[in-house]
Amino acid sequence: MTCKRRFKMFRKMVLLTLGLAITLTACGNPNVQNEALTHIRLPMGYIPNIQYAPFYVAVEKGYFKEAGIEIEFDYAFETDGVALVGAGELPFAVVSGEQVLLARAQGLPVTYVAAWYQQYPVSVVAKSELGVVVPQDLKGRKIGLPGLFGASYIGLRALLAAGKLTEADVTLDAIGFNQVELMAAGQQDIVVGYAANEPIQLRAQGIAVTELRVADYAQLAANGILASEKVIAENPELVRAFVGAFLKGLKDTIANPDEAFELSKAHIPNFSELDEGVQREVLAVSIEQWQAERLGYSDPAAWENMQNVLLDMGLLSEKMDLSKAFTNEFIP
């Protein structure tokens, strides 16, 4: 055997041995593959809930992992998420449309990069015997809501405006997030909540209610994905990957709610103790609000309408450049 042939055989053996060592190391340590993933903590703005099914599906079906992302759900209040993204400490958060405009008015460099909800999810719920079937029927009524803040308050103001009413035409009662309990106890007759939550829970308890959905009277920018201008400028591919993975989960949830329901269970503590019928209805109503010809698309008119509501409320002092508040650049 020539020296040249012996060298080739030796080189081949070294490469095979090295390849085997790498393979065994990877097999022995399942975290090796995960080391290449980008870890993202995502503020959700609410507690674990079946309404987050698109995110859970994207995790369970490996869409985030395929996009190079390891995701950690953080169920803090949405205002915390906005502040953290605005400060550049986190790249993304789940927020409502009004939060984006209010944050930008305060100088926070944030942009909404994908719409999750196509309909503003807030409703006014009233006991049926009151006969509240149009916004004008709210005149002179006492209305319970979490407080004079957030999506519930914004949605109520939009609904009042649709009925040519003002806040002076009603009595607002700040009751915290106890709408169902207080209404069931007879301490409230009209409350503001979410279409996929309070009315479903109340009906499940045998309480007959009517519902005024804000989305039936006003098209407003709703819940979606917020990103920092920093990550958009420095790592647009991460934004595209994150949005793409989420939208795959959203598409699959809409197409196969039963599968999404099952995949979500592992992410919701004590799910077995919840009423399955109620949870399935929550998901069904949520899906109604997510439907769109182009998932993730932000309607410019919805942002104009939201800005006008905030201006009328005095929460914004002047119009802003909405082209910087949202973008459709990262959706398919």
Side-chain angles (χ1 to χ4, degrees), residues 6 22 43 79 89 101 110 128 130 175 189 204 250 265 286-287 292:
R6 283 199 298 268
I22 292 173
T79 48
E89 295 182 28
L101 299 187
V110 294
S128 293
L130 298 181
I175 60 174
D189 293 327
L250 179 60
K265 289 181 178 179
S286 298
I287 287 174

Side-chain angles (χ1 to χ4, degrees), residues 82-106:
V82 173
L84 290 168
V85 172
E89 295 182 28
L90 293 177
F92 307 107
V94 178
V95 301
S96 188
E98 74 279 353
Q99 296 292 330
V100 181
L101 299 187
L102 294 174
R104 289 195 64 85
Q106 296 171 20

Side-chain angles (χ1 to χ4, degrees), residues 16-35:
L16 286 171
T17 302
L18 180 60
L20 179 61
I22 292 173
T23 301
L24 290 173
T25 301
C27 292
N29 182 3
N31 293 321
V32 168
Q33 290 182 332
N34 292 335
E35 288 177 0

Side-chain angles (χ1 to χ4, degrees), residues 106-287:
Q106 296 171 20
L108 294 181
V110 294
T111 301
Y112 184 98
V113 293
W116 171 18
Y117 280 74
Q118 297 296 329
Q119 299 178 21
Y120 205 71
V122 172
S123 288
V124 170
V125 187
K127 290 185 176 178
S128 293
E129 60 262 30
L130 298 181
V132 175
V133 294
V134 293
Q136 291 86 341
D137 294 331
L138 295 172
K139 187 173 183 178
R141 304 286 190 177
K142 183 179 78 168
I143 303 172
L145 73 168
L148 304 186
F149 59 84
S152 296
Y153 183 43
I154 302 296
L156 174 61
R157 287 293 298 261
L159 201 58
L160 291 174
K164 301 190 183 306
L165 301 176
T166 69
E167 198 170 315
D169 292 312
V170 297
T171 300
L172 300 185
D173 188 11
I175 60 174
F177 295 94
N178 304 299
Q179 299 99 312
V180 172
E181 293 80 2
L182 293 177
M183 205 163 179
Q187 297 178 32
Q188 293 287 332
D189 293 327
I190 305 175
V191 298
V192 185
Y194 281 75
N197 190 2
E198 283 80 6
I200 295 172
Q201 291 193 47
L202 288 164
R203 290 177 183 130
Q205 294 184 35
I207 301 171
V209 297
T210 57
E211 181 184 358
L212 297 176
R213 292 191 181 185
V214 173
D216 290 337
Y217 297 91
Q219 177 66 3
L220 302 175
N223 303 59
I225 307 299
L226 185 73
S228 66
E229 289 185 355
K230 178 180 179 181
V231 73
I232 291 173
E234 297 179 359
N235 198 347
E237 288 310 309
L238 176 61
V239 181
R240 199 175 309 280
F242 183 90
V243 169
F246 164 68
L247 291 179
K248 286 181 181 179
L250 179 60
K251 181 180 179 181
D252 285 2
T253 301
I254 293 171
N256 194 339
D258 289 337
E259 177 192 55
F261 190 84
E262 293 302 320
L263 292 176
S264 297
K265 289 181 178 179
H267 294 267
I268 304 171
N270 304 318
F271 188 88
S272 61
E273 300 174 10
L274 301 176
D275 185 314
E276 182 167 323
V278 168
Q279 296 305 306
R280 287 189 180 278
E281 189 172 355
V282 167
L283 180 58
V285 172
S286 298
I287 287 174

